[in-house]
Every structure is written in structure tokens, then in C-alpha cells.
Amino acid sequence: MADRFILADDPIALPKGAWAKTERRTLRRGSQPVFSLTQGRHRPYLFPVYTPLGFAVTSECPADHPHHNSFWIASDHVDCWMPAAAGRKEQYTYNFYVDETFQGRAPGRILQTNASGEETPGGGYRITQTMEWRGPVEWAALEGRLAAREQRLLDLKTIEGAYVIDVESRLSAAEWDLSLGPTRHAYFNLRVAESIAVTSGGRVRDDRGHSGGEAVSGSGARWVHYNGPVGGGHWAGLALFPDPRDHRDPYWFVSDWGVVTVGPFRLEKRDIRQGETMALRYRVILHDGDLAADAIAAHYASYLASLS
């Protein structure tokens, strides 16, 4: 079928005896690429990310923030509470947001250990990824301490003029308790293509009618929409909806130069005990055209209806 989704490797010819530390697999609808699962040196992410008409709407590793990886999940201020002598616990602090030491926290890596895909009813497609959040190489931890395990679900469907991606991240403590935050550098992130950024002629706004990164940032918004010119007179964009069941008062960091971050633990940390799992969910709309605020509001209303 011409519209069937297929997830396949992107082979790279290397000299004999050479291998790559990173990999990329692309989801296609027929012959049209939708997005690629990319395992970078420090984390897995989606890039490139396309609209149904084939316009790329995100940016990978921009020069100003090379740790901004298109469509990704990460967190700064990750603490492992390690068993110590006499029943005490010691705090080991890591950073899974920036790929170098950041605010005194050593950088960890998020490594995809498995990814599989399957068609879903109604012509959709689900990708299931398993991942390990590992701290840096250090004394007594040559592979990096296993801070957390994550299962990430990506559910894709098509609607008129747009792709809809539902993201669910299930983060579990490994062999010790875990804390995330408080931080604004977490949890779900988008870095839009340069042409869409406000600084290049695009627009960013929220459900309250606020425009511009400074006005949108902070608490209060239920959704954020970024769109702009993508060439040849065309416009395209993306909208981000955090699940209100997980984000009663989401905290946003949005900039005119193109980053959108939203998470639930800006002001207080989130503890994950051994045996517990934290689930955070988001919907992303990747659309063609210059959609008005009422069109995004209708998409959001449809999202809320699907949760009931």
C-alpha cells in the first residue's frame, strides 16, 4: 500500500573494519520520510522531522546550543541516592541535558537499547523504544552508573494536513532511588527549524493569545504553537500539548530563537523510588500551512476528548 508506514535502517557505507557509534532509522509513509530515530553520541532523538508535504520543521545540533537535538527528552539535575555505610544514602548528581559538565553536574548519556515498530488500527504506527540513562565513566563505574531505565512510546497517525505524534515517556528508577529537578531544563523539548524561529520571520503563541518567547514562557499556557516560512512561499509549523493529567501547571521555556521546553518540575523535584515509574505524556502536531489559533485550539480540544 502506498500509504503504509515502514521503519527501516539508514545504511552507511564505511571502510572495512570501521563502525559508527551512532545510528539512524527512518520511518517512511510509502516513499515519503516522516521522521528518523537518531541515536546521537549522547542521546536518542527524532531528526529529521517532516510535515506531510515534506518540509523539515526542526533543527539538529544548532551552533548556539549543540545539545538541542530537534525533538528530544532530557533532564538536568538528576540525582541518584546511593546506599552508603551505616544505612546512609549519598547523593550522586548528574546532568542528562547538556553533553558536557553543566552547573557542576557531570554529563550522562541516554542510550537506546532496542526499538521496534508496528502498525496500529486505523492506519497508524507505534514505535517502542527502550533506553538506559547512564552516568559518566567514573571510578568503580566504567560503563557509567545506570541511573534510570526508560520506555518511550511514539504513536503516529495522520490527519488532514498534519501528522500527530503522541509521546509517552515511562522513566523508572534502577537500583536506587532517583530525583529529577527542580529545573527548567526538562523534560520534553523541541528546537524548531531556523526559518520558523521568530528571529527569522516565524511566530510563536499560546492558548492565551500571548505572542513571543518571553510572553509565553513561565506557567499558565496549555499549549504552544510555532510556525513560519519554510521556503517557496509555504508555511509550516508544530504545536506542543502537554498532557494535563501529568502537567497540572506546566512550566514553559520558549525563546524567539527557536526552543520550546515544557516540564512539570520547575519549582519542586520529582522523586522516583525503586520499583516506581514516572509517566509523562505529550502530543505534537506537525502541520503544513499557516494555521490560525482557532485551528490549534480545535486540535487541542480533540486531544482532550481523546483522554476522557
Side-chain angles (χ1 to χ4, degrees), residues 42-46 69 71-75 96-97 110 131 133 150-154 167-171 185-190 280 282:
H42 295 277
R43 68 169 61 93
Y45 53 91
L46 300 190
N69 300 136
F71 183 120
W72 81 102
I73 286 172
S75 181
F96 290 89
Y97 188 84
I110 304 175
M131 303 173 192
W133 291 43
E150 182 191 358
Q151 182 185 64
R152 193 176 302 175
L153 306 176
L154 304 171
V167 182
E168 181 171 352
S169 171
R170 302 172 181 170
L171 193 70
H185 294 109
Y187 186 69
F188 187 83
N189 310 268
L190 296 168
L280 296 177
Y282 306 86

PDB file of all heavy atoms in Angstrom, residues 42-46 69 71-75 96-97 110 131 133 150-154 167-171 185-190 280 282:
ATOM      1  N   HIS A  42      25.104  11.267  22.606  1.00  0.00           N
ATOM      2  CA  HIS A  42      24.701  11.483  23.990  1.00  0.00           C
ATOM      3  C   HIS A  42      23.245  11.136  24.278  1.00  0.00           C
ATOM      4  O   HIS A  42      22.889  10.964  25.442  1.00  0.00           O
ATOM      5  CB  HIS A  42      24.968  12.937  24.400  1.00  0.00           C
ATOM      6  CG  HIS A  42      26.419  13.281  24.395  1.00  0.00           C
ATOM      7  ND1 HIS A  42      27.246  12.997  25.462  1.00  0.00           N
ATOM      8  CD2 HIS A  42      27.205  13.849  23.460  1.00  0.00           C
ATOM      9  CE1 HIS A  42      28.474  13.386  25.180  1.00  0.00           C
ATOM     10  NE2 HIS A  42      28.475  13.907  23.970  1.00  0.00           N
ATOM     11  N   ARG A  43      22.397  11.065  23.248  1.00  0.00           N
ATOM     12  CA  ARG A  43      21.003  10.723  23.499  1.00  0.00           C
ATOM     13  C   ARG A  43      20.312  10.332  22.201  1.00  0.00           C
ATOM     14  O   ARG A  43      20.767  10.705  21.118  1.00  0.00           O
ATOM     15  CB  ARG A  43      20.255  11.904  24.120  1.00  0.00           C
ATOM     16  CG  ARG A  43      20.061  13.096  23.187  1.00  0.00           C
ATOM     17  CD  ARG A  43      19.096  14.103  23.776  1.00  0.00           C
ATOM     18  NE  ARG A  43      19.564  14.646  25.022  1.00  0.00           N
ATOM     19  CZ  ARG A  43      20.272  15.773  25.139  1.00  0.00           C
ATOM     20  NH1 ARG A  43      20.596  16.458  24.055  1.00  0.00           N
ATOM     21  NH2 ARG A  43      20.654  16.216  26.308  1.00  0.00           N
ATOM     22  N   PRO A  44      19.178   9.623  22.289  1.00  0.00           N
ATOM     23  CA  PRO A  44      18.339   9.390  21.116  1.00  0.00           C
ATOM     24  C   PRO A  44      17.366  10.557  20.929  1.00  0.00           C
ATOM     25  O   PRO A  44      16.927  11.175  21.904  1.00  0.00           O
ATOM     26  CB  PRO A  44      17.588   8.097  21.470  1.00  0.00           C
ATOM     27  CG  PRO A  44      17.545   8.084  22.950  1.00  0.00           C
ATOM     28  CD  PRO A  44      18.737   8.853  23.454  1.00  0.00           C
ATOM     29  N   TYR A  45      17.035  10.844  19.682  1.00  0.00           N
ATOM     30  CA  TYR A  45      16.098  11.922  19.380  1.00  0.00           C
ATOM     31  C   TYR A  45      15.532  11.699  17.991  1.00  0.00           C
ATOM     32  O   TYR A  45      15.975  10.804  17.254  1.00  0.00           O
ATOM     33  CB  TYR A  45      16.787  13.292  19.479  1.00  0.00           C
ATOM     34  CG  TYR A  45      18.056  13.441  18.664  1.00  0.00           C
ATOM     35  CD1 TYR A  45      18.032  13.929  17.360  1.00  0.00           C
ATOM     36  CD2 TYR A  45      19.298  13.103  19.219  1.00  0.00           C
ATOM     37  CE1 TYR A  45      19.206  14.074  16.624  1.00  0.00           C
ATOM     38  CE2 TYR A  45      20.468  13.250  18.496  1.00  0.00           C
ATOM     39  CZ  TYR A  45      20.418  13.741  17.199  1.00  0.00           C
ATOM     40  OH  TYR A  45      21.577  13.881  16.475  1.00  0.00           O
ATOM     41  N   LEU A  46      14.542  12.493  17.621  1.00  0.00           N
ATOM     42  CA  LEU A  46      13.976  12.432  16.282  1.00  0.00           C
ATOM     43  C   LEU A  46      14.563  13.545  15.433  1.00  0.00           C
ATOM     44  O   LEU A  46      14.509  14.719  15.802  1.00  0.00           O
ATOM     45  CB  LEU A  46      12.448  12.582  16.309  1.00  0.00           C
ATOM     46  CG  LEU A  46      11.636  11.566  17.096  1.00  0.00           C
ATOM     47  CD1 LEU A  46      10.144  11.738  16.801  1.00  0.00           C
ATOM     48  CD2 LEU A  46      12.078  10.142  16.822  1.00  0.00           C
ATOM     49  N   ASN A  69      18.574  18.927  20.359  1.00  0.00           N
ATOM     50  CA  ASN A  69      18.511  17.856  19.367  1.00  0.00           C
ATOM     51  C   ASN A  69      17.110  17.653  18.822  1.00  0.00           C
ATOM     52  O   ASN A  69      16.498  16.600  19.026  1.00  0.00           O
ATOM     53  CB  ASN A  69      19.042  16.552  19.960  1.00  0.00           C
ATOM     54  CG  ASN A  69      20.478  16.650  20.431  1.00  0.00           C
ATOM     55  OD1 ASN A  69      20.821  16.180  21.496  1.00  0.00           O
ATOM     56  ND2 ASN A  69      21.340  17.276  19.634  1.00  0.00           N
ATOM     57  N   PHE A  71      13.948  17.054  18.565  1.00  0.00           N
ATOM     58  CA  PHE A  71      12.726  16.539  19.196  1.00  0.00           C
ATOM     59  C   PHE A  71      13.215  15.519  20.214  1.00  0.00           C
ATOM     60  O   PHE A  71      13.499  14.390  19.877  1.00  0.00           O
ATOM     61  CB  PHE A  71      11.876  15.895  18.089  1.00  0.00           C
ATOM     62  CG  PHE A  71      10.527  15.337  18.442  1.00  0.00           C
ATOM     63  CD1 PHE A  71       9.383  15.829  17.838  1.00  0.00           C
ATOM     64  CD2 PHE A  71      10.404  14.276  19.319  1.00  0.00           C
ATOM     65  CE1 PHE A  71       8.129  15.287  18.106  1.00  0.00           C
ATOM     66  CE2 PHE A  71       9.156  13.722  19.597  1.00  0.00           C
ATOM     67  CZ  PHE A  71       8.023  14.234  18.992  1.00  0.00           C
ATOM     68  N   TRP A  72      13.353  15.948  21.499  1.00  0.00           N
ATOM     69  CA  TRP A  72      14.085  15.093  22.434  1.00  0.00           C
ATOM     70  C   TRP A  72      13.560  15.227  23.861  1.00  0.00           C
ATOM     71  O   TRP A  72      12.825  16.160  24.188  1.00  0.00           O
ATOM     72  CB  TRP A  72      15.573  15.411  22.379  1.00  0.00           C
ATOM     73  CG  TRP A  72      16.075  16.601  23.151  1.00  0.00           C
ATOM     74  CD1 TRP A  72      16.735  16.582  24.352  1.00  0.00           C
ATOM     75  CD2 TRP A  72      15.996  17.994  22.778  1.00  0.00           C
ATOM     76  NE1 TRP A  72      17.080  17.862  24.741  1.00  0.00           N
ATOM     77  CE2 TRP A  72      16.635  18.741  23.796  1.00  0.00           C
ATOM     78  CE3 TRP A  72      15.449  18.680  21.693  1.00  0.00           C
ATOM     79  CZ2 TRP A  72      16.734  20.141  23.761  1.00  0.00           C
ATOM     80  CZ3 TRP A  72      15.544  20.063  21.642  1.00  0.00           C
ATOM     81  CH2 TRP A  72      16.179  20.775  22.670  1.00  0.00           C
ATOM     82  N   ILE A  73      13.942  14.269  24.675  1.00  0.00           N
ATOM     83  CA  ILE A  73      13.631  14.235  26.102  1.00  0.00           C
ATOM     84  C   ILE A  73      14.945  14.248  26.868  1.00  0.00           C
ATOM     85  O   ILE A  73      15.894  13.553  26.502  1.00  0.00           O
ATOM     86  CB  ILE A  73      12.804  12.979  26.453  1.00  0.00           C
ATOM     87  CG1 ILE A  73      11.359  13.156  25.955  1.00  0.00           C
ATOM     88  CG2 ILE A  73      12.830  12.675  27.944  1.00  0.00           C
ATOM     89  CD1 ILE A  73      10.514  11.917  26.075  1.00  0.00           C
ATOM     90  N   ALA A  74      15.002  15.045  27.933  1.00  0.00           N
ATOM     91  CA  ALA A  74      16.226  15.140  28.719  1.00  0.00           C
ATOM     92  C   ALA A  74      15.912  15.826  30.035  1.00  0.00           C
ATOM     93  O   ALA A  74      14.844  16.420  30.212  1.00  0.00           O
ATOM     94  CB  ALA A  74      17.304  15.918  27.963  1.00  0.00           C
ATOM     95  N   SER A  75      16.860  15.760  30.956  1.00  0.00           N
ATOM     96  CA  SER A  75      16.704  16.470  32.221  1.00  0.00           C
ATOM     97  C   SER A  75      18.059  16.789  32.820  1.00  0.00           C
ATOM     98  O   SER A  75      18.942  15.942  32.877  1.00  0.00           O
ATOM     99  CB  SER A  75      15.895  15.633  33.219  1.00  0.00           C
ATOM    100  OG  SER A  75      15.741  16.346  34.441  1.00  0.00           O
ATOM    101  N   PHE A  96      21.694  15.152  32.334  1.00  0.00           N
ATOM    102  CA  PHE A  96      21.387  14.473  31.077  1.00  0.00           C
ATOM    103  C   PHE A  96      20.827  15.444  30.039  1.00  0.00           C
ATOM    104  O   PHE A  96      20.150  15.033  29.111  1.00  0.00           O
ATOM    105  CB  PHE A  96      20.382  13.341  31.320  1.00  0.00           C
ATOM    106  CG  PHE A  96      20.954  12.189  32.086  1.00  0.00           C
ATOM    107  CD1 PHE A  96      20.917  12.173  33.469  1.00  0.00           C
ATOM    108  CD2 PHE A  96      21.555  11.126  31.428  1.00  0.00           C
ATOM    109  CE1 PHE A  96      21.455  11.115  34.186  1.00  0.00           C
ATOM    110  CE2 PHE A  96      22.093  10.064  32.138  1.00  0.00           C
ATOM    111  CZ  PHE A  96      22.043  10.060  33.516  1.00  0.00           C
ATOM    112  N   TYR A  97      21.126  16.736  30.214  1.00  0.00           N
ATOM    113  CA  TYR A  97      20.607  17.751  29.310  1.00  0.00           C
ATOM    114  C   TYR A  97      21.685  18.311  28.395  1.00  0.00           C
ATOM    115  O   TYR A  97      21.513  18.394  27.180  1.00  0.00           O
ATOM    116  CB  TYR A  97      19.963  18.879  30.117  1.00  0.00           C
ATOM    117  CG  TYR A  97      19.219  19.890  29.270  1.00  0.00           C
ATOM    118  CD1 TYR A  97      17.904  19.659  28.886  1.00  0.00           C
ATOM    119  CD2 TYR A  97      19.828  21.074  28.859  1.00  0.00           C
ATOM    120  CE1 TYR A  97      17.227  20.578  28.101  1.00  0.00           C
ATOM    121  CE2 TYR A  97      19.160  21.991  28.080  1.00  0.00           C
ATOM    122  CZ  TYR A  97      17.864  21.748  27.702  1.00  0.00           C
ATOM    123  OH  TYR A  97      17.193  22.656  26.921  1.00  0.00           O
ATOM    124  N   ILE A 110      22.066   8.976  27.367  1.00  0.00           N
ATOM    125  CA  ILE A 110      20.862   8.173  27.236  1.00  0.00           C
ATOM    126  C   ILE A 110      21.067   7.287  26.015  1.00  0.00           C
ATOM    127  O   ILE A 110      21.263   7.778  24.907  1.00  0.00           O
ATOM    128  CB  ILE A 110      19.608   9.048  27.076  1.00  0.00           C
ATOM    129  CG1 ILE A 110      19.484  10.025  28.256  1.00  0.00           C
ATOM    130  CG2 ILE A 110      18.356   8.178  26.977  1.00  0.00           C
ATOM    131  CD1 ILE A 110      18.341  11.012  28.115  1.00  0.00           C
ATOM    132  N   MET A 131      15.474   2.354  26.756  1.00  0.00           N
ATOM    133  CA  MET A 131      16.662   3.172  26.905  1.00  0.00           C
ATOM    134  C   MET A 131      17.247   3.033  28.295  1.00  0.00           C
ATOM    135  O   MET A 131      16.536   2.711  29.252  1.00  0.00           O
ATOM    136  CB  MET A 131      16.327   4.643  26.640  1.00  0.00           C
ATOM    137  CG  MET A 131      15.723   4.887  25.274  1.00  0.00           C
ATOM    138  SD  MET A 131      15.159   6.581  25.090  1.00  0.00           S
ATOM    139  CE  MET A 131      14.214   6.420  23.577  1.00  0.00           C
ATOM    140  N   TRP A 133      19.521   5.360  31.002  1.00  0.00           N
ATOM    141  CA  TRP A 133      20.127   6.632  31.376  1.00  0.00           C
ATOM    142  C   TRP A 133      21.356   6.302  32.224  1.00  0.00           C
ATOM    143  O   TRP A 133      21.222   5.823  33.356  1.00  0.00           O
ATOM    144  CB  TRP A 133      19.146   7.479  32.182  1.00  0.00           C
ATOM    145  CG  TRP A 133      17.957   7.997  31.411  1.00  0.00           C
ATOM    146  CD1 TRP A 133      17.194   7.313  30.516  1.00  0.00           C
ATOM    147  CD2 TRP A 133      17.387   9.310  31.517  1.00  0.00           C
ATOM    148  NE1 TRP A 133      16.179   8.111  30.040  1.00  0.00           N
ATOM    149  CE2 TRP A 133      16.274   9.341  30.633  1.00  0.00           C
ATOM    150  CE3 TRP A 133      17.693  10.444  32.259  1.00  0.00           C
ATOM    151  CZ2 TRP A 133      15.474  10.473  30.498  1.00  0.00           C
ATOM    152  CZ3 TRP A 133      16.895  11.574  32.126  1.00  0.00           C
ATOM    153  CH2 TRP A 133      15.801  11.595  31.249  1.00  0.00           C
ATOM    154  N   GLU A 150      14.200   3.759  30.762  1.00  0.00           N
ATOM    155  CA  GLU A 150      13.056   4.440  30.151  1.00  0.00           C
ATOM    156  C   GLU A 150      12.467   3.582  29.045  1.00  0.00           C
ATOM    157  O   GLU A 150      13.192   2.993  28.243  1.00  0.00           O
ATOM    158  CB  GLU A 150      13.468   5.794  29.570  1.00  0.00           C
ATOM    159  CG  GLU A 150      12.300   6.563  28.972  1.00  0.00           C
ATOM    160  CD  GLU A 150      12.721   7.781  28.165  1.00  0.00           C
ATOM    161  OE1 GLU A 150      13.934   8.064  28.101  1.00  0.00           O
ATOM    162  OE2 GLU A 150      11.826   8.437  27.584  1.00  0.00           O
ATOM    163  N   GLN A 151      11.151   3.538  29.018  1.00  0.00           N
ATOM    164  CA  GLN A 151      10.436   3.036  27.848  1.00  0.00           C
ATOM    165  C   GLN A 151       9.718   4.229  27.225  1.00  0.00           C
ATOM    166  O   GLN A 151       9.008   4.961  27.911  1.00  0.00           O
ATOM    167  CB  GLN A 151       9.416   1.964  28.218  1.00  0.00           C
ATOM    168  CG  GLN A 151       8.696   1.392  26.996  1.00  0.00           C
ATOM    169  CD  GLN A 151       7.602   0.415  27.366  1.00  0.00           C
ATOM    170  OE1 GLN A 151       6.610   0.769  27.996  1.00  0.00           O
ATOM    171  NE2 GLN A 151       7.783  -0.843  26.961  1.00  0.00           N
ATOM    172  N   ARG A 152       9.937   4.420  25.933  1.00  0.00           N
ATOM    173  CA  ARG A 152       9.347   5.572  25.230  1.00  0.00           C
ATOM    174  C   ARG A 152       8.458   5.064  24.097  1.00  0.00           C
ATOM    175  O   ARG A 152       8.903   4.265  23.265  1.00  0.00           O
ATOM    176  CB  ARG A 152      10.442   6.479  24.686  1.00  0.00           C
ATOM    177  CG  ARG A 152       9.953   7.843  24.209  1.00  0.00           C
ATOM    178  CD  ARG A 152      11.132   8.723  23.775  1.00  0.00           C
ATOM    179  NE  ARG A 152      12.112   8.923  24.841  1.00  0.00           N
ATOM    180  CZ  ARG A 152      13.259   9.571  24.686  1.00  0.00           C
ATOM    181  NH1 ARG A 152      13.586  10.070  23.493  1.00  0.00           N
ATOM    182  NH2 ARG A 152      14.099   9.708  25.700  1.00  0.00           N
ATOM    183  N   LEU A 153       7.221   5.527  24.080  1.00  0.00           N
ATOM    184  CA  LEU A 153       6.254   5.146  23.060  1.00  0.00           C
ATOM    185  C   LEU A 153       5.975   6.343  22.165  1.00  0.00           C
ATOM    186  O   LEU A 153       5.718   7.450  22.647  1.00  0.00           O
ATOM    187  CB  LEU A 153       4.954   4.666  23.702  1.00  0.00           C
ATOM    188  CG  LEU A 153       5.066   3.538  24.729  1.00  0.00           C
ATOM    189  CD1 LEU A 153       3.698   3.248  25.330  1.00  0.00           C
ATOM    190  CD2 LEU A 153       5.656   2.289  24.109  1.00  0.00           C
ATOM    191  N   LEU A 154       6.028   6.118  20.864  1.00  0.00           N
ATOM    192  CA  LEU A 154       5.700   7.133  19.868  1.00  0.00           C
ATOM    193  C   LEU A 154       4.555   6.593  19.024  1.00  0.00           C
ATOM    194  O   LEU A 154       4.729   5.632  18.278  1.00  0.00           O
ATOM    195  CB  LEU A 154       6.911   7.433  18.979  1.00  0.00           C
ATOM    196  CG  LEU A 154       8.200   7.863  19.682  1.00  0.00           C
ATOM    197  CD1 LEU A 154       9.351   7.892  18.678  1.00  0.00           C
ATOM    198  CD2 LEU A 154       8.031   9.227  20.338  1.00  0.00           C
ATOM    199  N   VAL A 167       3.503  11.081  22.456  1.00  0.00           N
ATOM    200  CA  VAL A 167       4.735  10.630  23.097  1.00  0.00           C
ATOM    201  C   VAL A 167       4.429  10.272  24.547  1.00  0.00           C
ATOM    202  O   VAL A 167       3.797  11.054  25.266  1.00  0.00           O
ATOM    203  CB  VAL A 167       5.818  11.728  23.055  1.00  0.00           C
ATOM    204  CG1 VAL A 167       7.112  11.224  23.675  1.00  0.00           C
ATOM    205  CG2 VAL A 167       6.032  12.223  21.636  1.00  0.00           C
ATOM    206  N   GLU A 168       4.863   9.105  24.970  1.00  0.00           N
ATOM    207  CA  GLU A 168       4.763   8.722  26.375  1.00  0.00           C
ATOM    208  C   GLU A 168       6.123   8.236  26.839  1.00  0.00           C
ATOM    209  O   GLU A 168       6.686   7.294  26.283  1.00  0.00           O
ATOM    210  CB  GLU A 168       3.724   7.629  26.600  1.00  0.00           C
ATOM    211  CG  GLU A 168       3.598   7.226  28.068  1.00  0.00           C
ATOM    212  CD  GLU A 168       2.435   6.293  28.352  1.00  0.00           C
ATOM    213  OE1 GLU A 168       1.619   6.056  27.432  1.00  0.00           O
ATOM    214  OE2 GLU A 168       2.346   5.807  29.497  1.00  0.00           O
ATOM    215  N   SER A 169       6.655   8.899  27.866  1.00  0.00           N
ATOM    216  CA  SER A 169       7.937   8.528  28.452  1.00  0.00           C
ATOM    217  C   SER A 169       7.684   7.911  29.817  1.00  0.00           C
ATOM    218  O   SER A 169       7.099   8.547  30.705  1.00  0.00           O
ATOM    219  CB  SER A 169       8.838   9.758  28.593  1.00  0.00           C
ATOM    220  OG  SER A 169      10.001   9.463  29.335  1.00  0.00           O
ATOM    221  N   ARG A 170       8.123   6.659  29.995  1.00  0.00           N
ATOM    222  CA  ARG A 170       7.974   5.948  31.266  1.00  0.00           C
ATOM    223  C   ARG A 170       9.355   5.746  31.861  1.00  0.00           C
ATOM    224  O   ARG A 170      10.125   4.893  31.425  1.00  0.00           O
ATOM    225  CB  ARG A 170       7.295   4.596  31.040  1.00  0.00           C
ATOM    226  CG  ARG A 170       5.917   4.694  30.391  1.00  0.00           C
ATOM    227  CD  ARG A 170       5.395   3.312  30.012  1.00  0.00           C
ATOM    228  NE  ARG A 170       4.083   3.370  29.367  1.00  0.00           N
ATOM    229  CZ  ARG A 170       3.508   2.324  28.772  1.00  0.00           C
ATOM    230  NH1 ARG A 170       4.140   1.142  28.737  1.00  0.00           N
ATOM    231  NH2 ARG A 170       2.315   2.449  28.219  1.00  0.00           N
ATOM    232  N   LEU A 171       9.682   6.570  32.857  1.00  0.00           N
ATOM    233  CA  LEU A 171      11.017   6.564  33.461  1.00  0.00           C
ATOM    234  C   LEU A 171      10.966   5.840  34.801  1.00  0.00           C
ATOM    235  O   LEU A 171      10.162   6.187  35.671  1.00  0.00           O
ATOM    236  CB  LEU A 171      11.515   7.995  33.653  1.00  0.00           C
ATOM    237  CG  LEU A 171      13.003   8.148  33.977  1.00  0.00           C
ATOM    238  CD1 LEU A 171      13.858   7.786  32.766  1.00  0.00           C
ATOM    239  CD2 LEU A 171      13.308   9.573  34.435  1.00  0.00           C
ATOM    240  N   HIS A 185      15.330  22.955  32.804  1.00  0.00           N
ATOM    241  CA  HIS A 185      15.943  22.223  31.701  1.00  0.00           C
ATOM    242  C   HIS A 185      15.410  20.792  31.663  1.00  0.00           C
ATOM    243  O   HIS A 185      16.154  19.826  31.800  1.00  0.00           O
ATOM    244  CB  HIS A 185      17.472  22.234  31.830  1.00  0.00           C
ATOM    245  CG  HIS A 185      18.071  23.595  31.686  1.00  0.00           C
ATOM    246  ND1 HIS A 185      18.610  24.281  32.740  1.00  0.00           N
ATOM    247  CD2 HIS A 185      18.200  24.402  30.605  1.00  0.00           C
ATOM    248  CE1 HIS A 185      19.062  25.459  32.317  1.00  0.00           C
ATOM    249  NE2 HIS A 185      18.818  25.554  31.034  1.00  0.00           N
ATOM    250  N   ALA A 186      14.116  20.674  31.497  1.00  0.00           N
ATOM    251  CA  ALA A 186      13.451  19.368  31.457  1.00  0.00           C
ATOM    252  C   ALA A 186      11.959  19.620  31.167  1.00  0.00           C
ATOM    253  O   ALA A 186      11.448  20.669  31.517  1.00  0.00           O
ATOM    254  CB  ALA A 186      13.609  18.641  32.795  1.00  0.00           C
ATOM    255  N   TYR A 187      11.197  18.828  30.477  1.00  0.00           N
ATOM    256  CA  TYR A 187      11.544  17.434  30.244  1.00  0.00           C
ATOM    257  C   TYR A 187      11.469  17.159  28.744  1.00  0.00           C
ATOM    258  O   TYR A 187      12.313  16.520  28.164  1.00  0.00           O
ATOM    259  CB  TYR A 187      10.556  16.560  31.045  1.00  0.00           C
ATOM    260  CG  TYR A 187      10.831  15.087  31.038  1.00  0.00           C
ATOM    261  CD1 TYR A 187      11.952  14.571  31.694  1.00  0.00           C
ATOM    262  CD2 TYR A 187      10.004  14.208  30.398  1.00  0.00           C
ATOM    263  CE1 TYR A 187      12.209  13.200  31.699  1.00  0.00           C
ATOM    264  CE2 TYR A 187      10.251  12.844  30.415  1.00  0.00           C
ATOM    265  CZ  TYR A 187      11.339  12.342  31.061  1.00  0.00           C
ATOM    266  OH  TYR A 187      11.598  11.008  31.073  1.00  0.00           O
ATOM    267  N   PHE A 188      10.375  17.672  28.107  1.00  0.00           N
ATOM    268  CA  PHE A 188      10.188  17.477  26.676  1.00  0.00           C
ATOM    269  C   PHE A 188      10.612  18.753  25.946  1.00  0.00           C
ATOM    270  O   PHE A 188      10.283  19.863  26.357  1.00  0.00           O
ATOM    271  CB  PHE A 188       8.738  17.141  26.344  1.00  0.00           C
ATOM    272  CG  PHE A 188       8.537  16.775  24.901  1.00  0.00           C
ATOM    273  CD1 PHE A 188       8.793  15.487  24.456  1.00  0.00           C
ATOM    274  CD2 PHE A 188       8.135  17.718  23.971  1.00  0.00           C
ATOM    275  CE1 PHE A 188       8.644  15.147  23.118  1.00  0.00           C
ATOM    276  CE2 PHE A 188       7.982  17.393  22.633  1.00  0.00           C
ATOM    277  CZ  PHE A 188       8.238  16.101  22.209  1.00  0.00           C
ATOM    278  N   ASN A 189      11.320  18.549  24.804  1.00  0.00           N
ATOM    279  CA  ASN A 189      11.946  19.683  24.134  1.00  0.00           C
ATOM    280  C   ASN A 189      11.779  19.609  22.620  1.00  0.00           C
ATOM    281  O   ASN A 189      11.830  18.533  22.026  1.00  0.00           O
ATOM    282  CB  ASN A 189      13.452  19.705  24.426  1.00  0.00           C
ATOM    283  CG  ASN A 189      13.788  19.580  25.885  1.00  0.00           C
ATOM    284  OD1 ASN A 189      13.930  20.557  26.592  1.00  0.00           O
ATOM    285  ND2 ASN A 189      13.920  18.346  26.375  1.00  0.00           N
ATOM    286  N   LEU A 190      11.634  20.786  22.012  1.00  0.00           N
ATOM    287  CA  LEU A 190      11.646  20.935  20.563  1.00  0.00           C
ATOM    288  C   LEU A 190      12.564  22.096  20.212  1.00  0.00           C
ATOM    289  O   LEU A 190      12.574  23.117  20.901  1.00  0.00           O
ATOM    290  CB  LEU A 190      10.240  21.251  20.019  1.00  0.00           C
ATOM    291  CG  LEU A 190       9.158  20.181  20.200  1.00  0.00           C
ATOM    292  CD1 LEU A 190       7.787  20.774  19.888  1.00  0.00           C
ATOM    293  CD2 LEU A 190       9.424  18.980  19.313  1.00  0.00           C
ATOM    294  N   LEU A 280       5.158  10.542  31.714  1.00  0.00           N
ATOM    295  CA  LEU A 280       4.858  11.888  31.222  1.00  0.00           C
ATOM    296  C   LEU A 280       4.487  11.781  29.760  1.00  0.00           C
ATOM    297  O   LEU A 280       5.156  11.094  28.986  1.00  0.00           O
ATOM    298  CB  LEU A 280       6.057  12.815  31.408  1.00  0.00           C
ATOM    299  CG  LEU A 280       6.480  13.087  32.860  1.00  0.00           C
ATOM    300  CD1 LEU A 280       7.719  13.968  32.887  1.00  0.00           C
ATOM    301  CD2 LEU A 280       5.356  13.732  33.654  1.00  0.00           C
ATOM    302  N   TYR A 282       2.801  13.656  26.027  1.00  0.00           N
ATOM    303  CA  TYR A 282       2.736  14.864  25.216  1.00  0.00           C
ATOM    304  C   TYR A 282       2.147  14.522  23.842  1.00  0.00           C
ATOM    305  O   TYR A 282       2.276  13.392  23.370  1.00  0.00           O
ATOM    306  CB  TYR A 282       4.143  15.458  25.012  1.00  0.00           C
ATOM    307  CG  TYR A 282       4.888  15.697  26.298  1.00  0.00           C
ATOM    308  CD1 TYR A 282       5.642  14.673  26.892  1.00  0.00           C
ATOM    309  CD2 TYR A 282       4.820  16.916  26.946  1.00  0.00           C
ATOM    310  CE1 TYR A 282       6.307  14.871  28.089  1.00  0.00           C
ATOM    311  CE2 TYR A 282       5.490  17.132  28.147  1.00  0.00           C
ATOM    312  CZ  TYR A 282       6.233  16.106  28.713  1.00  0.00           C
ATOM    313  OH  TYR A 282       6.883  16.311  29.901  1.00  0.00           O
TER     314      TYR A 282
END
